[in-house]
Structure formats: structure tokens, C-alpha cells
Amino acid sequence: MDNRTTSEDKPVQRSKSFSFKTQKEVCTSCEKTVYPMERLVANNQIFHNTCFCCKHCNAKLSLGSYAALAGEFYCKPHFQQLFKSKGNYDEGFGRKQHKELWQSKDAESITKTA
């Protein structure tokens, strides 16, 4: 008699190194899947090459031609222009000035001590 087991008797084991369970990366701008050949990473955010644009003028940016502030990306000329228009990063970029935040905190501390 033949004591060899047939291939039907024991289950086939697959190698775990060949699993294709990769996490899909999503573009920060358009929220679509980013494939490795079109992937660009700036400030730990992932973009398509075509989606990495200036917030002010929508010009295509590269890793050497951008400036970032508060998670928003600008071309260097517009970053400088917006800074120079008001003389600080808050007003030029449409945010509340820090001195207003300090004044509100000072007013709160005065009312607590009184």
C-alpha cells in the first residue's frame, strides 16, 4: 500500500510576504488615490504632482519652489507678496492677528483678578 498523503489531504499554505494588503494613499488636495509614480510629499502631506499648487494663484509648485504656512502652500513670490502687504503673517494671509488674541486673554485675566 502507498502511505503517501495526497495533496488534497493537507492544505496549501501561502507565503505571507506576498500579501497585497497595502494602504492606499490619498491626495490631500483632491482626496483621490495617489500612485507611487505621481506621489509628492510636502510637510508630511501627500499630493499628486498636478495637485500641488499655490493657494493664491494655482500655479504648479515643486519641492524647491514653495513656502508653507499653517498647512497651506504658496509659490515663493506670492508668499512674499502676502507678507509684505500687511507686514505680518496673520493679516496678510487672512487670519486674526496674535495681538488680538493676547488682548482678549489680558481682558479675561483682569476680570478674574477683579
Side-chain angles (χ1 to χ4, degrees):
M1 292 217 129
D2 192 7
N3 289 337
R4 286 185 276 164
T5 58
T6 61
S7 62
E8 295 175 27
D9 292 343
K10 59 181 179 179
V12 177
Q13 293 206 348
R14 306 257 184 233
S15 173
K16 292 181 182 177
S17 65
F18 290 110
S19 68
F20 293 103
K21 296 178 183 177
T22 58
Q23 183 178 359
K24 290 187 178 181
E25 293 180 326
V26 178
C27 177
T28 304
S29 180
C30 70
E31 298 181 356
K32 293 181 180 177
T33 303
V34 178
Y35 297 101
M37 289 300 291
E38 57 189 6
R39 182 175 183 260
L40 187 136
V41 179
N43 285 8
N44 295 326
Q45 296 179 349
I46 299 168
F47 295 92
H48 290 107
N49 287 330
T50 55
C51 293
F52 190 52
C53 298
C54 174
K55 183 183 178 200
H56 190 75
C57 67
N58 289 329
K60 185 178 174 191
L61 299 174
S62 68
L63 291 176
S65 69
Y66 81 95
L69 181 68
E72 296 175 351
F73 300 90
Y74 300 90
C75 59
K76 287 186 178 180
H78 281 121
F79 188 79
Q80 291 174 353
Q81 178 186 1
L82 292 169
F83 174 76
K84 289 177 184 176
S85 67
K86 294 289 182 175
N88 63 45
Y89 288 110
D90 296 319
E91 281 185 276
F93 293 93
R95 285 194 299 282
K96 194 174 189 179
Q97 284 190 9
H98 280 286
K99 68 180 179 183
E100 292 176 13
L101 298 173
W102 296 330
Q103 290 171 350
S104 65
K105 287 181 183 178
D106 289 340
E108 287 175 12
S109 65
I110 292 171
T111 55
K112 287 181 183 177
T113 57

